[in-house]
Amino acid sequence: MAQRLAVRRLLALGRRPPAPQGLPGRTFGGSAIRGSTFNVQDGGDFQERVVNSTKPVVVDFHAQWCGPCKILGPRLEKLVAKQEGKVVMAKVDIDDHTDLAIEYEVSAVPTVLAMKNGDVVDKFVGIKDEDQLEAFLKKLIGA
């Protein structure tokens, strides 16, 4: 009851309660991953952040209902984060952005594109192991 009153008072003042803090020494959300990975919001966002990017971009076309996507996505995000800013990753949900999936000829998920200077330079469909993903990234960034 007291907690509800406190929340109501904060809401009445137009403020939000502070976000809960994790335990000391633990982090939630993985800031390194979040900094190198983003969700595409719309076609304009894709144009600006992917096609016009000065860095190489890995584009992960996925769907919420896709089992292999749920395995590949986090694996790929982790490896992109390890590249320390040499490459970024864009996540495109095909159900939300059907137009982009059609434009880039995505016929199955997961489909991953490697893009440089707005051009698709490599592509794979399906799930890959970490060694294959590392080779894919190294080829993209030229390492």
Side-chain angles (χ1 to χ4, degrees), residues 116-143:
K116 258 188 183 174
N117 303 315
D119 296 322
V120 177
V121 295
D122 203 357
K123 171 182 180 174
F124 70 83
V125 178
I127 198 161
K128 301 284 184 192
D129 66 31
E130 285 197 22
D131 291 340
Q132 292 169 314
L133 294 175
E134 282 181 3
F136 180 80
L137 289 174
K138 285 181 180 179
K139 182 178 172 186
L140 175 61
I141 60 176

Side-chain angles (χ1 to χ4, degrees), residues 55-67:
K55 292 182 181 181
V57 183
V58 173
V59 184
D60 176 19
F61 284 92
H62 69 282
Q64 295 296 321
W65 46 263
C66 168

Side-chain angles (χ1 to χ4, degrees), residues 20-22 26-37 74 77-78 81:
Q21 297 297 314
R26 293 184 68 184
T27 58
F28 295 95
S31 60
I33 290 175
R34 290 190 189 272
S36 58
T37 302
E77 287 177 32
K78 183 178 93 176

Side-chain angles (χ1 to χ4, degrees), residues 46 58-63 66 69 72 89-94 97-106 108-113 115:
F46 187 87
V58 173
V59 184
D60 176 19
F61 284 92
H62 69 282
C66 168
C69 299
L72 179 67
M89 180 172 163
K91 297 182 66 68
V92 180
D93 187 318
I94 62 161
H97 306 292
T98 309
D99 55 332
L100 289 171
I102 292 168
E103 181 178 346
Y104 286 91
E105 300 175 353
V106 174
V109 286
T111 293
V112 178
L113 307 180
M115 295 184 69

Side-chain angles (χ1 to χ4, degrees), residues 2 7 17 25 31 40-41 47 49-50 58 61 69 74 79-81 84 92 96 125 136 142:
V7 169
S31 60
V40 171
Q41 303 302 312
Q47 181 70 33
R49 297 173 78 182
V50 176
V58 173
F61 284 92
C69 299
L79 292 174
V80 166
E84 299 174 342
V92 180
D96 294 337
V125 178
F136 180 80

